[in-house]
Amino acid sequence: MAARPVTLGDVRRARETLSGVARITALESSRQLSGLVGAPVHLKCENLQRTGSFKIRGAYARIAALTPPERAAGVVAASAGNHAQGVALAASLLGVRSTVFMPEGAPLPKVAATREYGAEVRACGQGLDEALGAARAWAERTGAVLVHPYDHPDVVAGQGTVGLEILEQCPEVRTVVVAVGGGGLIAGIAVAVKALRPDVRIVGVQAAGAAAYPPSLAAGHPVAVAHPVTMADGINVGRPGEVPFRIVARLVDEVRTVSEDGIAAALLLCLERAKLVVEPAGASPVAALLADPGSFRGRGPVVAVLSGGNVDPLLLQRVLRHGMAAEGRFLSLRLPLPDRPGALAALLEVVSAADANVVDVVHERTDPRLGLTEAEVELHLETAGPEHRAEVREALRAAGYPLSPC
């Protein structure tokens, strides 16, 4: 049986339910993005929401709508992290027992936070689809109610409250850019925004390695991506949900994709220029603005939704380095040196004179590939940008050092 449609009235009722539970998150202007796009750009900071993402909205709306017998049976969910924390907190606030299945290898901070919010956490499978299968089996076995991360009208309505806030905080908005995984957030925003402002353009953004919506929209029904791969675990979903897909197909103007390099650069920009910690999924709308700013020109003000900020510190470290490399601000080289006193110091003097910052040095002297009088150095340098990176390379070459990439 087809699920009931989601209406503006549903979103407004969800907002009443969420009063005093979900925060009305800030809308921050971005001077750099505005200058790049040629129109005002604002960031909707759901990374500052309770539990660190928008997910508390849909989870609470869904659990609050359960009957007393359903609440007594408890709830179960599957998530890589954000939905897990939303369900755990929502269930605790409503006095409902919760069990959450998380993929093996889920970021440890997200696992720990989910437990701290009150859920019983069970590790299962290598991805969200396997964890979701385990959650469904648990629901059938125990009678617990499955709180799906995106494929339910109540969840979509709860996420749609973000759209109502955007219209109130930026009444003149002309474009809203939203990250897309299963589609619950963009579907809810589209229901709210298009009902009140049908002229507003809604643009979805997916990671290129986990982009199930473009082929699904072309086929006219949800199509699975065989092996979705992206560092943006919050939108690493292999198949659109049935409920959000119908809404996206009807109301969303466009779904585009962004690269991993683009996501890394966007995360770096959010941290450096906006002073906001954003996870890769949350940075993907900014990546779309950076990748093709001209396509948003004349369509502002633009609101980019930063959907979450729950990023593993180790992943953040890797992504920032990757983002710096993508922007030409990081240089990794391998080069031979004579194995004699002062050789490494002489090399570093050239680097210093070129105003490059040494991040890491690996000095290898015992590799079987090397001769008795040979050494090899791996350098990781921070530079000011592509031009400076080229200048550093040229300075090393001019000093007689043959260069190889790491």
Side-chain angles (χ1 to χ4, degrees):
M1 185 175 69
R4 60 178 170 81
V6 182
T7 68
L8 176 61
D10 294 325
V11 178
R12 283 175 165 160
R13 283 188 289 275
R15 187 175 197 181
E16 293 176 4
T17 299
L18 289 166
S19 178
V21 176
R23 294 172 181 153
I24 298 175
T25 53
L27 193 73
E28 298 287 346
S29 298
S30 171
R31 177 183 296 180
Q32 183 171 8
L33 290 172
S34 298
L36 186 68
V37 170
V41 175
H42 307 286
L43 306 175
K44 178 60 172 167
C45 299
E46 283 296 290
N47 59 310
L48 303 179
Q49 183 57 261
R50 295 183 72 175
T51 73
S53 87
F54 70 97
K55 290 288 190 176
I56 182 66
R57 297 174 184 263
Y60 193 92
R62 173 76 171 107
I63 298 172
L66 298 179
T67 64
E70 287 173 330
R71 293 193 189 191
V75 297
V76 62
S79 169
N82 286 345
H83 180 61
Q85 293 173 69
V87 168
L89 178 58
S92 293
L93 292 174
L94 291 164
V96 177
R97 183 177 67 256
S98 63
T99 304
V100 177
F101 287 83
M102 302 183 74
E104 296 174 5
L108 293 179
K110 294 186 178 184
V111 175
T114 302
R115 288 198 175 103
E116 289 170 6
Y117 285 128
E120 177 186 353
V121 176
R122 294 172 175 256
C124 181
Q126 298 302 310
L128 180 59
D129 290 339
E130 291 182 50
L132 192 54
R136 286 195 176 102
W138 178 270
E140 292 174 1
R141 187 165 64 252
T142 66
V145 176
L146 175 67
V147 181
H148 199 282
Y150 47 84
D151 207 10
H152 192 279
D154 291 338
V155 172
V156 170
Q159 320 303 27
T161 58
V162 176
L164 295 179
E165 291 179 18
I166 289 172
L167 292 180
E168 292 169 357
Q169 293 170 316
C170 185
E172 67 279 15
V173 63
R174 293 186 61 193
T175 303
V176 180
V177 191
V178 190
V180 181
L185 177 61
I186 195 170
I189 289 175
V191 167
V193 171
K194 289 289 190 177
L196 296 169
R197 286 280 309 280
D199 60 302
V200 173
R201 183 173 179 80
I202 309 290
V203 178
V205 183
Q206 292 204 287
Y213 263 92
S216 297
L217 292 169
H221 58 83
V223 173
V225 173
H227 301 289
V229 178
T230 175
M231 64 176 156
D233 61 300
I235 53 174
N236 191 6
V237 178
R239 184 179 187 276
E242 297 286 347
V243 173
F245 177 79
R246 288 193 292 272
I247 297 170
V248 170
R250 180 169 55 92
L251 297 178
V252 172
D253 297 282
E254 177 190 358
V255 177
R256 59 178 65 181
T257 62
V258 292
S259 68
E260 299 295 285
D261 282 353
I263 293 173
L267 191 150
L268 181 62
L269 182 145
C270 288
L271 185 62
E272 285 191 326
R273 303 305 295 268
K275 313 306 178 190
L276 293 168
V277 176
V278 182
E279 63 189 86
S284 59
V286 174
L289 296 175
L290 294 176
D292 189 6
S295 65
F296 297 95
R297 198 158 289 130
R299 295 176 175 174
V302 177
V303 173
V305 180
L306 307 181
S307 56
N310 294 316
V311 58
D312 180 357
L314 294 178
L315 174 62
L316 179 62
Q317 184 181 41
R318 294 198 302 272
V319 171
L320 290 178
R321 179 172 289 191
H322 192 77
M324 291 177 67
E327 289 195 346
R329 295 167 52 190
F330 198 80
L331 175 61
S332 295
L333 296 169
R334 183 179 290 113
L335 60 158
L337 281 182
D339 188 12
R340 64 169 183 258
L344 179 58
L347 169 64
L348 294 179
E349 283 182 10
V350 176
V351 172
S352 176
D355 289 327
N357 184 41
V358 178
V359 177
D360 195 18
V361 177
V362 179
H363 189 201
E364 179 60 64
R365 302 173 64 194
T366 59
D367 192 293
R369 297 179 295 105
L370 302 173
L372 290 175
T373 61
E374 294 177 329
E376 187 176 69
V377 170
E378 186 175 305
L379 280 178
H380 300 280
L381 308 174
E382 183 182 357
T383 63
E387 291 184 5
H388 185 212
R389 184 170 63 175
E391 291 170 2
V392 174
R393 285 180 176 275
E394 184 55 37
L396 288 167
R397 287 195 185 96
Y401 295 103
L403 309 180
S404 300
C406 290

